[in-house]
Amino acid sequence: MNTKKFLLQEKDIPTAWYNIVADMKNKPLPPLNPKTKKPLNPEDLYPLFAKGLVDQEVNQTDAWIEIPEEVRDMYKIWRPTPLVRAFGLEKALDTPAHIYFKNESVSPVGSHKLNSAIPQAYFCKKEGVTNITTETGAGQWGAAMSLAAKHFGLELAVYMVKISYNQKPYRRLIMQTYGAEVVASPSMSTRAGRDIITKHPNYQGSLGTAISEAVELAMQTPNCKYVLGSVLNHVMLHQTVIGLEAEKQMEMAGEYPDVLIACFGGGSNFSGIAYPFLRHKLLDGKDIRVIAAEPACCPKLTRGEFQYDFGDEAGYTPLIPMYTLGHSFTPANIHAGGLRYHGAGSIVSQLRKDGYVDAVDIPQLETFKAALLFAKTEGIIPAPESSHAIAATIREAEQAKLEGKQKTILFNLSGHGLIDMTAYDQYLEGDLTNGEVSDADIAKNIAELDKII
Ligand SMILES: *Cc1c(COP(=O)(O)O)cnc(C)c1O
Protein backbone atom coordinates (compact mmCIF):
# COMPACT_ATOMS: atom_id res chain seq x y z
CA MET A 1 0.00 0.00 0.00
CA ASN A 2 1.25 3.44 -0.85
CA THR A 3 1.18 5.92 2.00
CA LYS A 4 -1.45 8.63 1.50
CA LYS A 5 -0.89 10.88 4.53
CA PHE A 6 2.35 11.84 6.26
CA LEU A 7 1.60 12.72 9.85
CA LEU A 8 3.79 14.32 12.50
CA GLN A 9 3.18 14.42 16.24
CA GLU A 10 2.67 17.33 18.61
CA LYS A 11 6.29 17.19 19.66
CA ASP A 12 7.24 17.84 16.01
CA ILE A 13 5.52 21.24 15.92
CA PRO A 14 8.46 23.58 15.18
CA THR A 15 10.04 25.29 18.20
CA ALA A 16 11.29 28.25 16.13
CA TRP A 17 10.06 30.21 13.13
CA TYR A 18 12.44 30.67 10.19
CA ASN A 19 13.47 34.25 9.39
CA ILE A 20 14.67 34.06 5.79
CA VAL A 21 15.96 37.66 5.77
CA ALA A 22 18.95 36.56 7.88
CA ASP A 23 20.03 34.28 5.01
CA MET A 24 19.37 36.70 2.12
CA LYS A 25 22.39 38.33 0.49
CA ASN A 26 20.32 41.25 -0.75
CA LYS A 27 18.16 42.39 2.15
CA PRO A 28 14.77 43.92 1.35
CA LEU A 29 14.88 47.72 1.02
CA PRO A 30 13.59 49.55 4.12
CA PRO A 31 10.05 50.91 4.43
CA LEU A 32 9.95 54.71 4.09
CA ASN A 33 8.12 57.51 5.81
CA PRO A 34 5.89 58.82 2.99
CA LYS A 35 6.43 62.48 3.95
CA THR A 36 10.20 62.58 4.47
CA LYS A 37 11.01 59.55 2.22
CA LYS A 38 13.48 58.52 4.97
CA PRO A 39 13.70 54.94 6.26
CA LEU A 40 11.35 54.23 9.12
CA ASN A 41 12.67 53.52 12.62
CA PRO A 42 11.22 50.64 14.62
CA GLU A 43 10.05 53.26 17.16
CA ASP A 44 7.81 54.78 14.47
CA LEU A 45 5.82 51.54 14.43
CA TYR A 46 5.48 51.00 18.19
CA PRO A 47 2.33 53.14 18.63
CA LEU A 48 0.45 50.98 16.14
CA PHE A 49 1.87 47.45 16.54
CA ALA A 50 2.96 45.39 19.54
CA LYS A 51 6.68 45.88 20.19
CA GLY A 52 7.43 42.14 20.07
CA LEU A 53 5.99 42.03 16.55
CA VAL A 54 7.86 45.15 15.39
CA ASP A 55 11.12 43.61 16.60
CA GLN A 56 10.38 40.53 14.48
CA GLU A 57 9.43 42.79 11.58
CA VAL A 58 12.87 44.46 11.48
CA ASN A 59 15.04 41.50 12.52
CA GLN A 60 17.63 40.85 9.78
CA THR A 61 20.14 38.81 11.78
CA ASP A 62 18.48 35.89 13.58
CA ALA A 63 17.55 33.04 11.22
CA TRP A 64 15.56 31.32 13.97
CA ILE A 65 13.09 33.01 16.31
CA GLU A 66 11.75 30.97 19.18
CA ILE A 67 8.03 30.19 19.23
CA PRO A 68 6.64 30.96 22.71
CA GLU A 69 5.31 27.92 24.57
CA GLU A 70 1.80 29.46 24.88
CA VAL A 71 1.69 29.80 21.09
CA ARG A 72 2.89 26.22 20.50
CA ASP A 73 0.27 25.02 22.97
CA MET A 74 -2.45 26.64 20.94
CA TYR A 75 -0.99 25.39 17.65
CA LYS A 76 -1.64 21.92 19.11
CA ILE A 77 -5.39 22.37 18.53
CA TRP A 78 -4.81 21.45 14.89
CA ARG A 79 -1.07 21.26 14.17
CA PRO A 80 0.90 19.53 12.83
CA THR A 81 -1.22 19.51 9.71
CA PRO A 82 -1.12 16.52 7.32
CA LEU A 83 0.97 16.30 4.19
CA VAL A 84 -1.07 14.36 1.66
CA ARG A 85 -0.12 12.53 -1.55
CA ALA A 86 -2.81 13.40 -4.12
CA PHE A 87 -3.05 9.94 -5.70
CA GLY A 88 -6.61 10.62 -6.87
CA LEU A 89 -5.63 13.78 -8.71
CA GLU A 90 -2.52 12.14 -10.19
CA LYS A 91 -4.63 9.31 -11.56
CA ALA A 92 -7.25 11.63 -13.06
CA LEU A 93 -4.49 13.59 -14.80
CA ASP A 94 -2.69 10.42 -15.87
CA THR A 95 0.57 12.17 -15.04
CA PRO A 96 3.96 10.75 -14.10
CA ALA A 97 4.27 13.62 -11.59
CA HIS A 98 4.02 12.93 -7.87
CA ILE A 99 1.72 15.51 -6.31
CA TYR A 100 1.73 16.35 -2.60
CA PHE A 101 -0.21 18.99 -0.73
CA LYS A 102 0.12 20.47 2.75
CA ASN A 103 -3.38 20.63 4.17
CA GLU A 104 -3.77 23.92 6.06
CA SER A 105 -7.55 23.73 5.67
CA VAL A 106 -7.81 21.58 8.81
CA SER A 107 -7.45 24.57 11.16
CA PRO A 108 -10.61 25.37 13.15
CA VAL A 109 -11.23 28.45 11.01
CA GLY A 110 -10.51 26.60 7.76
CA SER A 111 -7.34 28.40 6.65
CA HIS A 112 -3.65 29.02 7.40
CA LYS A 113 -4.42 32.48 8.82
CA LEU A 114 -4.59 31.18 12.40
CA ASN A 115 -0.81 30.47 12.32
CA SER A 116 -0.17 34.21 12.58
CA ALA A 117 -3.31 35.32 14.42
CA ILE A 118 -2.23 33.38 17.52
CA PRO A 119 1.26 34.87 17.94
CA GLN A 120 -0.07 38.34 17.12
CA ALA A 121 -2.65 38.07 19.90
CA TYR A 122 -0.03 36.55 22.22
CA PHE A 123 2.49 39.40 21.82
CA CYS A 124 -0.25 42.02 22.25
CA LYS A 125 -1.45 40.34 25.45
CA LYS A 126 2.09 40.01 26.80
CA GLU A 127 2.57 43.77 26.49
CA GLY A 128 -0.57 44.65 28.41
CA VAL A 129 -2.69 45.47 25.38
CA THR A 130 -6.43 44.99 26.06
CA ASN A 131 -8.03 45.85 22.70
CA ILE A 132 -7.11 45.14 19.12
CA THR A 133 -8.50 46.23 15.77
CA THR A 134 -8.18 44.78 12.30
CA GLU A 135 -9.91 44.64 8.94
CA THR A 136 -11.11 41.72 6.89
CA GLY A 137 -12.30 41.32 3.31
CA ALA A 138 -13.96 37.96 2.82
CA GLY A 139 -13.60 37.21 6.54
CA GLN A 140 -10.84 34.57 6.71
CA TRP A 141 -8.42 36.76 8.62
CA GLY A 142 -11.16 38.21 10.83
CA ALA A 143 -12.32 34.70 11.76
CA ALA A 144 -8.79 33.62 12.71
CA MET A 145 -8.14 36.78 14.70
CA SER A 146 -11.45 36.44 16.54
CA LEU A 147 -10.52 32.99 17.85
CA ALA A 148 -6.97 34.06 18.78
CA ALA A 149 -8.17 37.23 20.53
CA LYS A 150 -10.73 35.30 22.57
CA HIS A 151 -8.12 32.76 23.64
CA PHE A 152 -5.82 35.47 25.02
CA GLY A 153 -8.66 37.54 26.52
CA LEU A 154 -8.45 40.51 24.14
CA GLU A 155 -11.37 42.58 22.86
CA LEU A 156 -11.35 42.62 19.05
CA ALA A 157 -13.09 45.01 16.66
CA VAL A 158 -13.13 43.84 13.03
CA TYR A 159 -13.93 46.23 10.19
CA MET A 160 -15.44 44.04 7.52
CA VAL A 161 -15.83 45.38 3.98
CA LYS A 162 -19.54 46.23 3.72
CA ILE A 163 -20.28 44.23 0.60
CA SER A 164 -18.84 41.07 2.22
CA TYR A 165 -20.63 41.85 5.48
CA ASN A 166 -23.91 41.69 3.59
CA GLN A 167 -23.06 38.93 1.12
CA LYS A 168 -21.08 36.58 3.39
CA PRO A 169 -23.04 36.33 6.62
CA TYR A 170 -21.44 33.01 7.64
CA ARG A 171 -17.94 34.38 8.18
CA ARG A 172 -19.40 37.36 10.05
CA LEU A 173 -21.27 34.89 12.23
CA ILE A 174 -18.10 32.87 12.85
CA MET A 175 -16.40 36.02 14.13
CA GLN A 176 -19.40 36.88 16.30
CA THR A 177 -19.55 33.31 17.61
CA TYR A 178 -15.97 33.68 18.84
CA GLY A 179 -17.03 36.95 20.49
CA ALA A 180 -15.60 39.65 18.21
CA GLU A 181 -17.35 42.91 17.42
CA VAL A 182 -17.87 43.10 13.65
CA VAL A 183 -18.51 46.46 12.02
CA ALA A 184 -19.50 46.95 8.39
CA SER A 185 -17.01 49.32 6.75
CA PRO A 186 -17.39 52.19 5.94
CA SER A 187 -18.99 52.92 9.31
CA MET A 188 -19.94 56.02 11.27
CA SER A 189 -17.57 55.04 14.12
CA THR A 190 -14.46 56.66 12.58
CA ARG A 191 -13.66 59.88 10.79
CA ALA A 192 -12.37 57.95 7.76
CA GLY A 193 -15.69 56.09 7.61
CA ARG A 194 -17.86 59.18 8.12
CA ASP A 195 -15.94 61.12 5.46
CA ILE A 196 -16.48 58.51 2.80
CA ILE A 197 -20.15 57.91 3.73
CA THR A 198 -20.78 61.65 3.49
CA LYS A 199 -19.24 61.76 0.03
CA HIS A 200 -20.62 58.44 -1.24
CA PRO A 201 -23.65 57.33 0.82
CA ASN A 202 -23.94 54.00 -1.02
CA TYR A 203 -20.25 53.05 -0.94
CA GLN A 204 -19.92 49.27 -0.48
CA GLY A 205 -16.49 49.49 1.11
CA SER A 206 -12.98 48.34 0.25
CA LEU A 207 -10.06 46.85 2.12
CA GLY A 208 -8.30 50.22 1.94
CA THR A 209 -11.14 51.98 3.76
CA ALA A 210 -11.42 49.17 6.30
CA ILE A 211 -7.67 49.44 7.04
CA SER A 212 -8.01 53.20 7.52
CA GLU A 213 -10.87 52.69 9.98
CA ALA A 214 -9.09 49.96 11.96
CA VAL A 215 -5.89 52.03 12.18
CA GLU A 216 -7.79 55.14 13.25
CA LEU A 217 -9.64 53.30 16.02
CA ALA A 218 -6.39 51.71 17.26
CA MET A 219 -4.63 55.10 17.41
CA GLN A 220 -7.51 56.67 19.36
CA THR A 221 -8.14 53.89 21.87
CA PRO A 222 -5.91 53.50 24.94
CA ASN A 223 -4.13 50.13 25.21
CA CYS A 224 -5.19 49.26 21.70
CA LYS A 225 -3.06 47.89 18.84
CA TYR A 226 -3.71 47.11 15.20
CA VAL A 227 -3.03 43.71 13.62
CA LEU A 228 -2.70 42.65 9.97
CA GLY A 229 -3.07 39.23 8.34
CA SER A 230 -0.59 39.32 5.44
CA VAL A 231 2.10 41.38 3.64
CA LEU A 232 4.22 42.29 6.70
CA ASN A 233 7.47 40.43 7.50
CA HIS A 234 6.35 39.15 10.90
CA VAL A 235 3.24 37.56 9.36
CA MET A 236 5.38 35.66 6.84
CA LEU A 237 7.67 34.61 9.70
CA HIS A 238 4.82 33.05 11.70
CA GLN A 239 3.58 31.17 8.65
CA THR A 240 6.90 29.31 8.21
CA VAL A 241 5.56 26.57 10.51
CA ILE A 242 3.85 25.30 7.34
CA GLY A 243 7.06 24.76 5.37
CA LEU A 244 9.09 23.57 8.37
CA GLU A 245 6.60 20.77 8.97
CA ALA A 246 6.37 20.01 5.24
CA GLU A 247 10.15 19.73 5.06
CA LYS A 248 10.09 16.88 7.61
CA GLN A 249 7.07 15.26 5.97
CA MET A 250 8.66 15.25 2.51
CA GLU A 251 11.61 13.47 4.12
CA MET A 252 9.18 10.89 5.52
CA ALA A 253 7.84 10.47 1.98
CA GLY A 254 11.40 9.99 0.74
CA GLU A 255 11.09 12.76 -1.84
CA TYR A 256 12.16 16.35 -2.38
CA PRO A 257 9.95 18.78 -4.34
CA ASP A 258 11.22 19.86 -7.76
CA VAL A 259 8.40 22.37 -7.86
CA LEU A 260 6.70 24.16 -4.98
CA ILE A 261 3.46 26.09 -5.52
CA ALA A 262 1.22 28.35 -3.43
CA CYS A 263 -1.46 30.89 -4.24
CA PHE A 264 -0.55 34.51 -3.72
CA GLY A 265 -2.53 37.40 -2.18
CA GLY A 266 -0.14 39.38 -0.01
CA GLY A 267 2.17 36.39 0.25
CA SER A 268 1.65 34.84 3.68
CA ASN A 269 0.72 31.26 2.80
CA PHE A 270 3.21 31.33 -0.08
CA SER A 271 6.05 32.52 2.18
CA GLY A 272 4.98 30.08 4.86
CA ILE A 273 5.49 27.02 2.72
CA ALA A 274 8.28 28.40 0.50
CA TYR A 275 10.84 30.06 2.81
CA PRO A 276 12.01 26.89 4.59
CA PHE A 277 12.62 25.28 1.18
CA LEU A 278 14.12 28.45 -0.33
CA ARG A 279 16.62 28.26 2.52
CA HIS A 280 18.09 25.17 0.79
CA LYS A 281 18.33 27.17 -2.41
CA LEU A 282 19.91 30.20 -0.73
CA LEU A 283 22.40 28.24 1.40
CA ASP A 284 23.09 25.05 -0.58
CA GLY A 285 22.12 26.02 -4.12
CA LYS A 286 19.45 23.32 -4.14
CA ASP A 287 17.49 23.14 -7.39
CA ILE A 288 13.84 23.88 -6.61
CA ARG A 289 11.36 25.92 -8.61
CA VAL A 290 9.07 28.02 -6.45
CA ILE A 291 5.92 29.35 -8.10
CA ALA A 292 3.44 31.94 -6.84
CA ALA A 293 -0.02 31.44 -8.38
CA GLU A 294 -1.88 34.73 -8.83
CA PRO A 295 -5.27 35.60 -10.26
CA ALA A 296 -5.16 36.89 -13.84
CA CYS A 297 -7.09 39.96 -12.68
CA CYS A 298 -4.50 40.87 -10.04
CA PRO A 299 -1.07 39.83 -11.36
CA LYS A 300 1.37 41.92 -9.30
CA LEU A 301 4.29 39.47 -9.48
CA THR A 302 3.78 38.53 -13.14
CA ARG A 303 2.94 41.95 -14.59
CA GLY A 304 3.49 44.53 -11.84
CA GLU A 305 6.49 46.77 -11.23
CA PHE A 306 9.06 46.70 -8.41
CA GLN A 307 8.56 50.09 -6.77
CA TYR A 308 7.81 51.82 -3.48
CA ASP A 309 4.05 51.92 -2.88
CA PHE A 310 1.51 52.28 -0.10
CA GLY A 311 0.12 49.16 1.54
CA ASP A 312 -3.45 50.49 1.41
CA GLU A 313 -5.64 52.24 -1.12
CA ALA A 314 -5.96 55.44 0.90
CA GLY A 315 -2.19 55.94 1.28
CA TYR A 316 -2.01 55.93 5.11
CA THR A 317 0.68 53.26 5.51
CA PRO A 318 4.47 53.64 5.12
CA LEU A 319 5.89 53.24 1.63
CA ILE A 320 6.83 49.60 1.12
CA PRO A 321 9.21 48.25 -1.56
CA MET A 322 7.05 45.79 -3.46
CA TYR A 323 5.93 44.36 -6.77
CA THR A 324 2.79 46.38 -7.21
CA LEU A 325 -0.02 47.19 -9.61
CA GLY A 326 -0.38 50.59 -7.93
CA HIS A 327 -2.39 51.19 -4.75
CA SER A 328 -5.33 52.66 -6.69
CA PHE A 329 -5.62 49.51 -8.79
CA THR A 330 -9.04 47.89 -8.37
CA PRO A 331 -9.05 44.23 -9.43
CA ALA A 332 -12.13 42.59 -10.93
CA ASN A 333 -14.52 41.21 -8.34
CA ILE A 334 -13.40 37.55 -8.48
CA HIS A 335 -14.37 35.08 -5.74
CA ALA A 336 -10.83 34.60 -4.48
CA GLY A 337 -11.21 37.73 -2.34
CA GLY A 338 -8.01 36.98 -0.43
CA LEU A 339 -5.97 37.38 -3.62
CA ARG A 340 -7.38 40.78 -4.59
CA TYR A 341 -4.51 42.83 -3.21
CA HIS A 342 -2.42 45.24 -5.28
CA GLY A 343 1.04 44.43 -3.86
CA ALA A 344 3.37 41.73 -2.56
CA GLY A 345 5.29 41.72 0.73
CA SER A 346 8.78 43.26 0.63
CA ILE A 347 10.77 40.05 1.32
CA VAL A 348 9.09 38.04 -1.40
CA SER A 349 9.38 41.03 -3.77
CA GLN A 350 13.15 41.10 -3.23
CA LEU A 351 13.35 37.32 -3.73
CA ARG A 352 11.38 37.67 -6.95
CA LYS A 353 13.66 40.47 -8.14
CA ASP A 354 16.71 38.30 -7.40
CA GLY A 355 15.29 35.40 -9.41
CA TYR A 356 14.37 33.02 -6.59
CA VAL A 357 10.61 33.12 -7.18
CA ASP A 358 8.56 32.44 -10.33
CA ALA A 359 4.98 33.54 -10.83
CA VAL A 360 2.04 32.53 -13.01
CA ASP A 361 -1.31 34.23 -13.40
CA ILE A 362 -4.45 32.15 -13.81
CA PRO A 363 -7.92 33.11 -15.05
CA GLN A 364 -10.85 32.51 -12.70
CA LEU A 365 -12.60 29.83 -14.80
CA GLU A 366 -9.46 27.68 -14.91
CA THR A 367 -9.23 27.85 -11.10
CA PHE A 368 -12.80 26.63 -10.62
CA LYS A 369 -12.31 23.86 -13.15
CA ALA A 370 -9.26 22.77 -11.14
CA ALA A 371 -11.19 23.08 -7.87
CA LEU A 372 -13.94 20.74 -9.10
CA LEU A 373 -11.45 18.14 -10.27
CA PHE A 374 -9.65 18.34 -6.91
CA ALA A 375 -12.92 18.06 -4.97
CA LYS A 376 -13.99 15.03 -6.99
CA THR A 377 -10.64 13.24 -6.77
CA GLU A 378 -9.35 14.20 -3.30
CA GLY A 379 -12.63 14.92 -1.51
CA ILE A 380 -11.74 18.37 -0.21
CA ILE A 381 -13.57 21.42 -1.54
CA PRO A 382 -10.82 24.05 -1.79
CA ALA A 383 -11.07 27.76 -1.04
CA PRO A 384 -11.25 29.81 -4.28
CA GLU A 385 -7.84 31.24 -3.31
CA SER A 386 -6.23 27.81 -2.91
CA SER A 387 -7.71 26.73 -6.25
CA HIS A 388 -5.12 28.97 -7.93
CA ALA A 389 -2.38 26.75 -6.50
CA ILE A 390 -4.26 23.66 -7.66
CA ALA A 391 -4.65 25.04 -11.19
CA ALA A 392 -0.92 25.86 -11.34
CA THR A 393 -0.14 22.35 -10.07
CA ILE A 394 -2.30 20.82 -12.80
CA ARG A 395 -0.44 22.86 -15.43
CA GLU A 396 2.88 21.50 -14.10
CA ALA A 397 1.57 17.93 -13.95
CA GLU A 398 0.29 18.15 -17.53
CA GLN A 399 3.65 19.52 -18.63
CA ALA A 400 5.36 16.54 -16.92
CA LYS A 401 3.09 14.23 -18.88
CA LEU A 402 3.96 15.94 -22.19
CA GLU A 403 7.66 15.63 -21.40
CA GLY A 404 7.22 12.11 -20.06
CA LYS A 405 9.22 13.11 -16.98
CA GLN A 406 8.69 12.20 -13.34
CA LYS A 407 8.57 15.36 -11.25
CA THR A 408 7.66 15.95 -7.61
CA ILE A 409 5.24 18.80 -6.97
CA LEU A 410 4.28 20.16 -3.57
CA PHE A 411 1.51 22.73 -3.18
CA ASN A 412 -0.07 24.46 -0.22
CA LEU A 413 -3.79 23.98 0.30
CA SER A 414 -4.28 27.26 2.18
CA GLY A 415 -7.94 26.70 3.06
CA HIS A 416 -11.21 24.94 2.35
CA GLY A 417 -14.14 26.46 0.50
CA LEU A 418 -17.10 25.26 2.54
CA ILE A 419 -18.11 28.83 3.34
CA ASP A 420 -17.67 29.85 -0.31
CA MET A 421 -20.33 27.61 -1.82
CA THR A 422 -22.14 30.57 -3.42
CA ALA A 423 -19.06 30.92 -5.60
CA TYR A 424 -19.33 27.27 -6.63
CA ASP A 425 -23.04 27.79 -7.30
CA GLN A 426 -22.25 30.64 -9.68
CA TYR A 427 -19.56 28.59 -11.44
CA LEU A 428 -21.86 25.60 -11.85
CA GLU A 429 -24.59 27.89 -13.19
CA GLY A 430 -22.15 29.32 -15.76
CA ASP A 431 -22.38 32.80 -14.27
CA LEU A 432 -18.68 33.48 -13.77
CA THR A 433 -16.25 35.29 -16.04
CA ASN A 434 -12.45 35.37 -16.17
CA GLY A 435 -11.97 38.96 -15.04
CA GLU A 436 -8.65 39.73 -16.72
CA VAL A 437 -6.89 43.08 -16.89
CA SER A 438 -5.41 45.10 -19.77
CA ASP A 439 -1.80 46.34 -19.98
CA ALA A 440 -3.16 49.87 -20.28
CA ASP A 441 -5.03 49.63 -16.99
CA ILE A 442 -1.92 48.34 -15.22
CA ALA A 443 0.29 51.01 -16.78
CA LYS A 444 -2.13 53.79 -15.80
CA ASN A 445 -2.05 52.92 -12.09
CA ILE A 446 1.70 52.35 -12.00
CA ALA A 447 2.27 55.69 -13.72
CA GLU A 448 0.72 57.42 -10.69
CA LEU A 449 3.47 56.16 -8.37
CA ASP A 450 6.40 58.25 -7.18
CA LYS A 451 9.40 56.59 -8.87
CA ILE A 452 11.65 56.30 -5.83
CA ILE A 453 13.50 53.18 -7.07
C1 LIG B 1 -6.15 35.12 2.96
C2 LIG B 1 -6.04 33.88 2.19
C3 LIG B 1 -5.14 33.76 1.10
C4 LIG B 1 -4.31 34.89 0.58
O1 LIG B 1 -3.45 35.51 1.46
P1 LIG B 1 -1.90 35.26 1.48
O2 LIG B 1 -1.40 36.22 2.50
O3 LIG B 1 -1.34 35.54 0.13
O4 LIG B 1 -1.69 33.84 1.89
C5 LIG B 1 -5.04 32.53 0.46
N1 LIG B 1 -5.80 31.48 0.82
C6 LIG B 1 -6.68 31.56 1.85
C7 LIG B 1 -7.49 30.37 2.19
C8 LIG B 1 -6.82 32.76 2.56
O5 LIG B 1 -7.68 32.84 3.58
Side-chain angles (χ1 to χ4, degrees):
M1 267 285 280
N2 287 320
T3 309
K4 171 84 177 159
K5 284 201 306 298
F6 297 89
L7 301 174
L8 298 168
Q9 308 193 349
E10 279 179 12
K11 66 172 170 48
D12 304 315
I13 295 174
T15 52
W17 292 298
Y18 173 56
N19 178 21
I20 194 170
V21 183
D23 290 332
M24 285 166 65
K25 234 184 269 131
N26 299 332
K27 309 292 184 202
L29 300 173
L32 303 180
N33 177 315
K35 292 212 184 74
T36 63
K37 308 274 194 299
K38 295 243 166 64
L40 233 51
N41 298 312
E43 298 78 46
D44 299 332
L45 297 169
Y46 289 156
L48 195 55
F49 297 100
K51 182 170 176 300
L53 298 170
V54 174
D55 294 345
Q56 293 173 359
E57 184 69 22
V58 300
N59 188 323
Q60 301 199 328
T61 48
D62 302 313
W64 299 97
I65 294 179
E66 193 185 327
I67 304 179
E69 210 44 52
E70 292 89 331
V71 172
R72 278 188 89 234
D73 272 344
M74 205 181 165
Y75 278 164
K76 286 177 191 166
I77 293 177
W78 80 105
R79 307 209 69 85
T81 62
L83 179 89
V84 184
R85 174 89 182 262
F87 287 116
L89 181 62
E90 287 174 18
K91 187 156 170 252
L93 295 170
D94 187 26
T95 174
H98 295 182
I99 303 175
Y100 294 84
F101 64 92
K102 180 71 168 158
N103 187 358
E104 288 296 305
S105 82
V106 298
S107 96
V109 296
S111 81
H112 69 287
K113 295 253 173 29
L114 201 51
N115 296 327
S116 182
I118 292 167
Q120 292 198 46
Y122 166 82
F123 283 103
C124 287
K125 179 69 183 182
K126 202 175 143 208
E127 292 167 24
V129 169
T130 54
N131 292 63
I132 46 182
T133 70
T134 195
E135 74 288 327
T136 196
Q140 295 270 29
W141 169 244
M145 206 57 232
S146 300
L147 172 53
K150 184 47 62 184
H151 180 82
F152 289 105
L154 299 163
E155 292 296 324
L156 170 66
V158 184
Y159 286 92
M160 184 173 191
V161 177
K162 192 176 275 176
I163 188 159
S164 303
Y165 184 96
N166 293 324
Q167 289 181 351
K168 304 192 184 223
Y170 289 138
R171 283 225 181 77
R172 164 171 62 78
L173 284 163
I174 291 172
M175 293 184 253
Q176 290 168 334
T177 298
Y178 288 131
E181 184 192 345
V182 188
V183 185
S185 167
S187 76
M188 297 300 280
S189 68
T190 62
R191 211 192 53 157
R194 284 192 299 275
D195 281 355
I196 199 145
I197 291 174
T198 313
K199 273 192 228 130
H200 310 280
N202 294 322
Y203 188 56
Q204 289 302 297
S206 70
L207 257 171
T209 307
I211 294 177
S212 311
E213 288 203 276
V215 167
E216 186 183 322
L217 184 65
M219 295 301 275
Q220 287 179 352
T221 312
N223 267 328
C224 185
K225 300 286 177 196
Y226 166 74
V227 290
L228 188 66
S230 186
V231 185
L232 298 178
N233 300 349
H234 65 270
V235 184
M236 313 295 172
L237 175 77
H238 302 152
Q239 293 292 352
T240 57
V241 290
I242 304 173
L244 292 169
E245 286 178 8
E247 197 184 347
K248 287 189 194 164
Q249 289 163 309
M250 288 303 298
E251 263 173 45
M252 288 165 77
E255 300 210 59
Y256 190 86
D258 301 299
V259 186
L260 201 163
I261 299 172
C263 69
F264 200 99
S268 76
N269 90 91
F270 172 85
S271 305
I273 194 154
Y275 290 176
F277 287 94
L278 276 173
R279 164 170 124 255
H280 307 156
K281 193 162 178 164
L282 287 170
L283 300 181
D284 312 325
K286 191 103 184 165
D287 188 19
I288 177 170
R289 223 177 120 223
V290 180
I291 307 174
E294 311 186 294
C297 75
C298 196
K300 55 235 151 201
L301 290 173
T302 14
R303 293 164 69 195
E305 188 169 300
F306 184 68
Q307 189 50 267
Y308 271 103
D309 195 4
F310 293 104
D312 64 326
E313 285 170 54
Y316 288 105
T317 69
L319 288 165
I320 303 169
M322 48 161 64
Y323 274 89
T324 180
L325 297 163
H327 60 277
S328 3
F329 179 80
T330 312
N333 202 0
I334 55 162
H335 280 286
L339 308 185
R340 294 179 69 243
Y341 182 71
H342 67 273
S346 65
I347 301 174
V348 72
S349 292
Q350 186 65 44
L351 289 167
R352 166 94 176 124
K353 187 162 175 285
D354 292 341
Y356 289 102
V357 169
D358 279 351
V360 292
D361 59 333
I362 303 184
Q364 175 160 255
L365 293 176
E366 184 179 338
T367 69
F368 274 92
K369 183 168 177 244
L372 261 71
L373 181 64
F374 186 73
K376 287 170 183 163
T377 54
E378 293 295 326
I380 303 170
I381 297 181
E385 290 85 0
S386 317
S387 305
H388 289 70
I390 300 172
T393 298
I394 292 174
R395 285 187 186 180
E396 287 294 319
E398 284 174 342
Q399 185 62 28
K401 183 178 177 182
L402 279 179
E403 293 167 4
K405 268 216 299 256
Q406 198 282 322
K407 178 156 66 168
T408 302
I409 307 171
L410 167 62
F411 78 87
N412 194 31
L413 184 73
S414 54
H416 69 65
L418 292 177
I419 305 167
D420 303 280
M421 294 317 291
T422 349
Y424 281 84
D425 186 22
Q426 288 178 12
Y427 175 72
L428 292 167
E429 291 298 320
D431 288 342
L432 290 185
T433 56
N434 271 334
E436 284 165 19
V437 55
S438 70
D439 286 338
D441 204 17
I442 293 178
K444 177 172 80 75
N445 286 289
I446 289 179
E448 287 171 8
L449 300 180
D450 245 347
K451 304 284 185 226
I452 298 174
I453 295 175

